[in-house]
Amino acid sequence: MTRSSVQGDDTQEDAADASERAEAVRGDADNGVGDTPDDGVGDTADDGAGDTADDTADDAGDGAGSDGGKPEVVAARPRRRRRALRWTAVLLAAVLAGTAGAGYLYYEHLNANIKQDALNLGDNKVAAPTPNAAGQTPLNILVIGSDARDSEENQQLGGARETFGSTPLADVQMLVHLSADRSNMSVVSMPRDTLLEIPKCTDPDDGTVYPASEGRVMTNQSLGHGGPGCAVATWQELTGIHIDHFVMVDFAGVVSMADAVGGVPVCVDANIHSRDNEGHGSGLKLEKGTHPVKGEQALQWLRTRYGFEDGSDLARAKAQHMYLNSMVRVLRENATLSSPNRLRRLAEEATEALTVDPGLDSVKKLYDLSDELRKVKPERITMTTMPNRYVGARVEPTEDAEQLFRLVREDIALDGKDAKKKPDAEPEPPADPAAPDDELAVQVRNGTRTDELGTAPGRANAIAGLLVERGFTKAVADPSVLPSEDRTVIRYPSADLEGDARRVAKSLGVPASSVKRSTDVSGVTLVVGADWREGTAYKAPGSDNSTPESAQALNGADDSACMHVNPAFTWS
């Protein structure tokens, strides 16, 4: 069984040659290398010609569900201008750095290199998080990679020639979360064979509608349902996390960017050659100890599964996280990108490799993003893999995964070093005050189901009755919808109903932070969560805000990490 992960986030320190900045771009791209969510790598193509082909065959409708369904509309799809991207390297600073020594025309040339696609192809949207007391909001970026090869260069680097031109699979998926106060960054990787439900997605290019999957399928199928925006929709459905942007980068771009930074130190605890007797493996060959890798050797490191630890995709994810953390330190400590020629080359390669959502479709927008990301120091970067358990040959999220998602949703640092936060300011009074209680319509839904426990019977009726007793005579239970919510929440669809929603919350003792605006509801809707399975007095539960051990957290400043080599892949 192979397991995959996502990787990637990284920040880069400002490295610029101010004397060569062109006046024409000073107002737009500015001067310097912004930091970036990083350079990551998924491995997607996987380690050898045979490996990906086998996985691709397995992926066709594997697991507890079907193949995800056929499109309702089948049209002759024009070949998209999007590369089928497969490495999750974000190195956005590279894009910006290329404006050094260039003029306006070169700036526009770099803009033209960047490809874009729609952000979210699903029907359901997740509301953006509420700003903190200082008016700041967190930033979430999904980094995606695919296993398909759509150019000779990428095919040569990735192997598995039989997959050339096939429907891409999102074998690499990683969420980069930048805290609202910009003090810390969290990265959550998802194994490629995670079983989940893919929502209905509509391709914006030709209108093809991909129905929701019938049961659970592998998460890597989402990219083939209209593009990266379906991977975004799938993540939001699973995690409840609002995603602001996505970024994808291809094989060739990773190789070029690794060259441009001058090499990244990596460590193995024994000699390694990633190649088995059937020819599978990345081909990585290193002696024991720490060595700088760049170019194709860096790509080999990031793709290696055969030879690291137990040969699983989790081991590969660990190696990728080590690489990315090391690159962050190189960029900050050694300023290797001070050469204008090196910066220009990196910018050219990076922009050609990028596909982004419309919110990141220019060098200026990427610079602004990188300027935010560069504020985080390596010691406040935490890389994790979504906790999971086996379901046959595949995996599914565990309770620990939901804990991890909650920490991200609530903007709680995964390194446990959050400063004591100021209490959120009292929300401004709503523009439209609450209606009288007896005129205020409320729908109540039972969302008490959990992974371990079934739905607590009668909760919607019980709480609707409680509201009626308290004067909300138009409160009714809605038995047609049985959502699953860890915590009780009150949602409202528009500003004119905010006062009503707050009034309901106050009457039940539900905290104001649990009142959320959402287009998923048509009126004030109370979802009784798993924290209120019995009784009529609501008590907000205490929170365990620690990162689960099963997330295998790795700190960005840890320079002692070294990959364990499987004895079957060593040499002397």
Side-chain angles (χ1 to χ4, degrees):
M1 136 91 198
T2 63
R3 305 171 67 169
S4 130
S5 75
V6 193
Q7 65 287 9
D9 125 285
D10 159 30
T11 62
Q12 293 199 94
E13 193 58 83
D14 205 294
D17 187 340
S19 64
E20 295 200 15
R21 300 283 191 247
E23 289 295 329
V25 297
R26 287 183 185 275
D28 257 341
D30 203 5
N31 58 359
V33 181
D35 230 296
T36 79
D38 192 83
D39 126 55
V41 236
D43 96 78
T44 77
D46 208 21
D47 302 322
D51 196 39
T52 301
D54 292 342
D55 288 337
T56 302
D58 289 343
D59 292 346
D62 189 73
S66 71
D67 62 0
K70 301 294 183 184
E72 294 172 2
V73 178
V74 179
R77 298 185 48 149
R79 194 159 183 83
R80 304 175 68 93
R81 282 192 69 245
R82 165 201 324 118
R83 287 188 183 217
L85 300 171
R86 41 289 300 165
W87 292 99
T88 65
V90 186
L91 255 176
L92 299 180
V95 180
L96 316 168
T99 61
Y104 176 76
L105 292 179
Y106 187 60
Y107 171 73
E108 289 299 305
H109 165 72
L110 293 180
N111 281 342
N113 282 348
I114 302 169
K115 295 169 286 296
Q116 64 170 291
D117 218 319
L119 174 61
N120 188 340
L121 305 186
D123 291 339
N124 297 328
K125 312 300 178 186
V126 173
T130 303
N132 62 15
Q136 304 165 306
T137 55
L139 189 63
N140 295 305
I141 306 157
L142 185 64
V143 186
I144 309 167
S146 133
D147 75 340
R149 291 109 178 111
D150 61 347
S151 72
E152 290 185 5
E153 183 180 10
N154 285 321
Q155 184 186 19
Q156 183 178 8
L157 290 168
R161 297 177 182 278
E162 60 270 31
T163 66
F164 185 83
S166 62
T167 300
L169 296 168
D171 276 355
V172 177
Q173 300 178 46
M174 170 199 71
L175 183 69
V176 177
H177 171 83
L178 180 63
S179 66
D181 63 6
R182 305 309 189 244
S183 68
N184 66 88
M185 187 184 301
S186 303
V187 180
V188 179
S189 299
M190 184 187 293
R192 64 179 175 181
D193 48 7
T194 299
L195 294 174
L196 46 68
E197 295 181 2
I198 298 176
K200 183 182 82 171
C201 291
T202 303
D203 190 320
D205 288 353
D206 59 15
T208 300
V209 176
Y210 295 82
S213 61
E214 298 177 6
R216 297 191 303 175
V217 298
M218 286 176 59
T219 183
N220 65 357
Q221 295 181 27
S222 60
L223 187 58
H225 288 215
C230 194
V232 169
T234 301
W235 265 80
Q236 291 196 156
E237 290 279 341
L238 175 68
T239 67
I241 298 170
H242 174 81
I243 295 176
D244 302 281
H245 300 292
F246 74 79
V247 177
M248 301 194 296
V249 177
D250 69 12
F251 289 147
V254 172
V255 171
S256 298
M257 287 186 282
D259 281 340
V261 299
V264 175
V266 296
C267 176
V268 287
D269 67 359
N271 297 342
I272 182 174
H273 187 201
S274 178
R275 188 73 72 197
D276 68 8
N277 55 14
E278 295 181 356
H280 297 156
S282 70
L284 177 71
K285 190 171 185 179
L286 285 176
E287 294 182 357
K288 177 181 178 180
T290 300
H291 310 275
V293 294
K294 60 181 180 178
E296 190 166 355
Q297 191 176 46
L299 185 62
Q300 289 174 335
W301 173 274
L302 296 163
R303 293 177 52 232
T304 293
R305 178 168 62 84
Y306 292 97
F308 283 156
E309 299 188 349
D310 62 357
S312 73
D313 281 345
L314 290 182
R316 175 164 45 199
K318 186 175 179 180
Q320 293 166 351
H321 290 165
M322 289 181 185
Y323 176 94
L324 298 172
N325 284 340
S326 183
M327 176 171 277
V328 173
R329 295 191 295 270
V330 167
L331 291 169
R332 286 185 172 271
E333 296 168 7
N334 301 327
T336 56
L337 294 180
S338 59
S339 163
N341 287 334
R342 181 174 285 178
L343 294 177
R344 282 192 291 268
R345 184 182 69 181
L346 183 55
E348 192 74 36
E349 297 290 346
T351 52
E352 288 181 353
L354 286 173
T355 293
V356 298
D357 67 274
L360 294 177
D361 64 354
S362 72
V363 171
K364 176 62 168 64
K365 292 176 183 177
L366 291 170
Y367 178 85
D368 290 342
L369 173 61
S370 70
D371 196 43
E372 293 293 289
L373 292 162
R374 59 179 289 198
K375 296 174 182 177
V376 182
K377 296 180 179 179
E379 54 266 29
R380 297 304 313 278
I381 297 173
T382 306
M383 296 194 178
T384 64
T385 298
M386 182 196 78
N388 57 83
R389 59 178 162 241
Y390 286 99
V391 180
R394 306 303 175 192
V395 300
E396 65 182 4
T398 63
E399 297 74 24
D400 282 355
E402 174 51 36
Q403 165 79 346
L404 194 64
F405 297 151
R406 181 184 68 79
L407 295 178
V408 174
R409 284 196 303 268
E410 297 181 8
D411 196 28
I412 297 170
L414 298 187
D415 62 5
K417 297 178 181 177
D418 267 336
K420 187 174 181 180
K421 294 185 177 181
K422 298 178 181 178
D424 289 342
E426 284 295 320
E428 293 291 330
D432 191 351
D437 291 353
D438 60 356
E439 296 179 12
L440 202 160
V442 186
Q443 282 194 329
V444 184
R445 295 174 178 172
N446 188 342
T448 56
R449 175 174 52 86
T450 71
D451 288 342
E452 296 86 19
L453 300 172
T455 300
R459 294 304 291 158
N461 284 321
I463 303 307
L466 176 64
L467 284 170
V468 170
E469 290 177 6
R470 295 186 178 181
F472 296 88
T473 55
K474 291 188 176 182
V476 295
D478 178 9
S480 66
V481 181
L482 292 175
S484 178
E485 294 284 348
D486 287 337
R487 297 191 178 195
T488 297
V489 63
I490 299 172
R491 297 189 173 100
Y492 63 95
S494 55
D496 60 312
L497 293 178
E498 181 181 1
D500 294 354
R502 288 197 204 173
R503 172 64 191 136
V504 172
K506 185 175 182 179
S507 72
L508 295 173
V510 174
S513 60
S514 295
V515 178
K516 309 285 186 182
R517 183 169 178 174
S518 172
T519 56
D520 291 342
V521 296
S522 58
V524 175
T525 303
L526 166 64
V527 182
V528 183
D531 58 347
W532 200 8
R533 292 179 62 87
E534 59 184 21
T536 55
Y538 179 75
K539 182 178 180 181
S543 296
D544 173 9
N545 292 335
S546 61
T547 300
E549 290 187 12
S550 56
Q552 301 182 28
L554 181 65
N555 185 269
D558 184 357
D559 58 3
S560 65
C562 196
M563 286 305 299
H564 173 63
V565 176
N566 186 315
F569 290 86
T570 193
W571 54 277
S572 57

